[in-house]
Amino acid sequence: MVPLSGCASSEPESPSPVGIWGPTDGAHLELAEDGGLTGSDGCNRLMGSWEDASEAVEFVGVATTMMMCEDVDDWLARLHTGAVDGDALTIFNIDGQEIGVLDRQ
């Protein structure tokens, strides 16, 4: 009798970044299947695109409106890359410093 072997990869597939991250009434991002990005810091809108770069999500050409809003932390406007870990998207600035975490909705 010959043992059967499969072709399955031993490495787990990384979770997809596609979806809505964060509450839609506050700081959030929506990453679309086609690479589009929309979102808000709770006051200003963000738009641009994203790319899946193996271990990270790279945010590309992101623009934001510049309205003055009292008591709004605009940390999300400084996004550069992100990392998906389960149902959390950790956001990093251009220096690689963690600036916030958004939960999958």
Side-chain angles (χ1 to χ4, degrees), residues 63-104:
T64 181
T65 59
M66 301 290 286
M67 296 183 294
M68 174 60 185
C69 303
E70 289 188 35
D71 301 323
V72 172
D73 183 354
D74 64 354
W75 66 270
L76 192 54
R78 297 186 306 275
L79 80 169
H80 183 68
T81 61
V84 177
D85 184 11
D87 286 333
L89 175 62
T90 303
I91 306 294
F92 301 92
N93 66 16
I94 197 165
D95 296 323
Q97 297 170 322
E98 179 181 324
I99 57 173
V101 177
L102 298 170
D103 293 326
R104 187 184 297 272

Side-chain angles (χ1 to χ4, degrees), residues 31 34-38 47-51 57-63 79:
L31 305 181
D34 67 0
L37 172 151
T38 58
M47 55 238 109
S49 59
W50 65 276
E51 298 173 354
V57 177
E58 292 185 20
F59 302 111
V60 181
V62 177
L79 80 169

